[in-house]
Amino acid sequence: MKRIAVEEAFVTEEIAQEWKKVLASKFVEPGFRMMGQTILGDDPGARLVHSRLVDIGAGRIAQMDADGIDMAVLSITSPGVQAFDAVTATRLAKDANDQLAAAVLAHPTRFAALAAVAPQYPAGAALELHRASGLGMKGFLINSHTMGEYLDDRKYWPIFEAAQALDLPLYLHPREPSPGMVSPFLDYGLYFAGFGFAVETSLHAMRLIMCGLFDEFPRLKIVLGHMGEGLPFWLQRIDNRYLLQVKIGAVKKMKKLPSEYFLDNFAITTAGVMSGPALRLSLEVLGEDRIMFAADYPYESVEEGVRFLDTVEISEVQRAKIYSGNAERIFKLA
Ligand code: MN
């Protein structure tokens, strides 16, 4: 069975060096400081992850062969260029896209790529999307908040205008909770990928739904990793309480229910979630056409992710769609 993995991380050496400068400065977002200690350390584990992140050539393909992955959709790892000033971020996003395009050109049957953009300069990000589309990118990825700001702010909407016009899906990828809400997450490791990332990113997705973005850009496609960051579980209650808030005049009525925007404009990936109950719930809520496989290399065990999707109790038609068919359609990989 053909396997396409759609949330596969990479970084350029220069972005990693710039992260270290930010981490050494006085003005570090508290969540990013914690992240830096965890993944940018000098221990053997962190060094291995780093060497895997920067390899978008022969080494990565050998690992894909060993893991049984036919194609990897590459994207910039968290927090990407979003920790930098606008000028640095715009330059390094462009450079990352050039490196991604070269890797895809060298291995067109094994790699596809999602573009990096710098939300700090929305007009520049929109321009970069046009350039990235010309380079053959299949979508773009943003690592949730940018300096504590969310994309529902209208100043960012030139990015969505370009995304809809070019039909490029946005992969809204997690990062640590924004400075405005991170404090209670800093204890017990809760800021990290097991919980805080999903709280942050599902909040971001809900802000996009509730601000009316999809009434303005009805053909926009958003992809969420990690089984939809928990949202498939919440949708019924979100609708129910939204209707109450509309009734008492606490929120403005939208054209559709929150869950309808989720079903019409979102797709999700398995990335790092290896739970049969979570996958079957998502299949029941979203249907079998908007769930894709992702391994989240090099952070998760690809072997474990493959073993999970090879053996989880779903139909063979569902398995094939999740492993490749849906990604081929949503990211236009064929
Ligand atoms: Mn990831």
Side-chain angles (χ1 to χ4, degrees):
M1 190 171 277
K2 185 176 185 184
R3 299 188 189 95
I4 302 176
V6 301
E7 188 197 306
E8 312 312 310
F10 111 105
V11 77
T12 66
E13 285 287 6
E14 203 177 354
I15 288 172
Q17 290 311 316
E18 286 295 324
W19 283 343
K20 286 182 183 165
K21 284 190 213 164
V22 171
L23 288 165
S25 76
K26 269 190 295 191
F27 306 101
V28 192
E29 295 165 275
F32 185 44
R33 181 183 294 121
M34 293 289 272
M35 266 296 277
Q37 286 163 6
T38 309
I39 65 158
L40 287 171
D42 207 24
D43 56 287
R47 279 202 298 271
L48 176 65
V49 168
H50 178 77
S51 70
R52 288 178 163 175
L53 282 171
V54 296
D55 180 350
I56 45 174
R60 185 176 295 241
I61 286 173
Q63 190 61 51
M64 288 163 61
D65 289 341
D67 291 326
I69 301 296
D70 294 282
M71 180 181 251
V73 181
L74 306 170
S75 54
I76 195 84
T77 198
S78 175
V81 300
Q82 288 161 253
F84 309 140
D85 65 83
V87 173
T88 307
T90 302
R91 176 172 63 80
L92 291 183
K94 212 172 156 193
D95 175 57
N97 292 334
D98 288 338
Q99 294 191 35
L100 283 171
V104 172
L105 195 64
H107 307 280
T109 62
R110 306 306 301 278
F111 291 149
L114 306 180
V117 297
Q120 295 92 321
Y121 174 31
L127 277 178
E128 183 62 8
L129 283 186
H130 283 273
R131 195 182 76 92
S133 177
L135 289 172
M137 304 273 166
K138 302 301 184 185
F140 64 113
L141 181 140
I142 293 178
N143 289 293
S144 201
H145 72 85
T146 304
M147 308 284 179
E149 292 186 349
Y150 293 90
L151 297 167
D152 55 286
D153 188 322
R154 280 193 173 255
K155 75 178 181 186
Y156 294 114
W157 288 22
I159 299 172
F160 293 122
E161 195 181 336
Q164 178 172 278
L166 298 163
D167 198 16
L168 291 177
L170 163 62
Y171 204 120
L172 189 64
H173 186 276
R175 62 176 298 192
E176 70 286 349
S178 63
M181 68 167 177
V182 76
S183 293
F185 289 88
L186 293 174
D187 300 317
Y188 318 120
L190 287 170
Y191 79 96
F192 196 52
F195 183 67
F197 282 31
V199 176
E200 158 66 28
T201 311
S202 58
L203 169 73
H204 199 156
M206 285 310 302
R207 292 185 68 101
L208 297 186
I209 289 173
M210 301 307 290
C211 76
L213 177 70
F214 301 105
D215 288 336
E216 192 135 334
F217 301 108
R219 297 188 313 281
L220 203 57
K221 287 185 213 150
I222 311 283
V223 179
L224 291 175
H226 316 97
M227 219 62 95
E229 310 295 354
L231 285 174
F233 181 90
W234 289 102
L235 288 179
Q236 178 276 332
R237 181 157 176 78
I238 287 169
D239 281 353
N240 179 302
R241 296 294 86 179
Y242 158 77
L243 288 170
L244 174 71
Q245 285 180 295
V246 168
K247 199 171 152 193
I248 63 174
V251 301
K252 219 174 82 187
K253 193 175 189 319
M254 301 184 293
K255 285 186 189 163
K256 297 193 273 189
L257 290 170
S259 69
E260 292 176 311
Y261 293 107
F262 195 83
L263 295 177
D264 290 345
N265 296 94
F266 285 71
I268 70 171
T269 80
T270 60
V273 178
M274 289 153 275
S275 157
L279 177 57
R280 286 189 292 269
L281 176 136
S282 298
L283 278 166
E284 199 168 324
V285 173
L286 279 86
E288 62 191 30
D289 293 322
R290 45 187 68 247
I291 305 177
M292 297 176 274
F293 174 69
D296 214 357
Y297 178 86
Y299 299 111
E300 297 277 350
S301 160
V302 181
E303 196 190 344
E304 223 179 298
V306 166
R307 196 185 318 126
F308 165 68
L309 198 52
D310 279 356
T311 56
V312 65
E313 279 181 49
I314 56 175
S315 78
E316 292 314 303
V317 169
Q318 290 171 334
R319 205 182 315 279
K321 284 183 173 184
I322 294 169
Y323 255 144
S324 64
N326 291 338
E328 285 171 342
R329 188 186 75 255
I330 291 166
F331 289 118
K332 299 195 205 122
L333 299 177

